Amino acid sequence: YADERGETAGVAGALSDVTLERESAKEIRRAAERFAVVFDRAPYAICITTHGEGRYVAVNAAFEALAGAPREAIIGRTT
């Protein structure tokens, strides 16, 4: 900020510690990666669908085998 002569009299600022947010974001990414590995490698057919319309959002490899179609052909379709 400036004084009455227009000269710099001081500086104002704010700092925020984002350490916790960054650590939380890393843990969420790690958990998502673990889930993805377990989901895709599970020996049972698993699918994730939207609640309202039953649209396939994700399917695992066992679901592809059971359906006889690649996930690209399944994702987006409805149950």
Side-chain angles (χ1 to χ4, degrees):
Y1 59 92
D3 63 15
E4 61 276 349
R5 294 176 300 197
E7 295 181 15
T8 302
V11 176
L15 297 175
S16 179
D17 185 357
V18 296
T19 304
L20 183 58
E21 288 85 355
R22 286 187 179 176
E23 289 172 0
S24 296
K26 281 183 188 177
E27 183 53 38
I28 289 170
R29 278 193 300 278
R30 280 190 230 122
E33 290 167 1
R34 287 191 305 270
F35 172 80
V37 168
V38 171
F39 177 82
D40 201 50
R41 293 183 184 175
Y44 304 103
I46 304 171
C47 66
I48 300 173
T49 61
T50 59
H51 177 70
E53 57 189 351
R55 189 168 302 280
Y56 290 105
V57 176
V59 299
N60 69 350
F63 192 95
E64 286 180 285
L66 180 68
R71 68 186 69 200
E72 293 80 13
I74 301 167
I75 304 290
R77 296 183 141 207
T78 56
T79 55

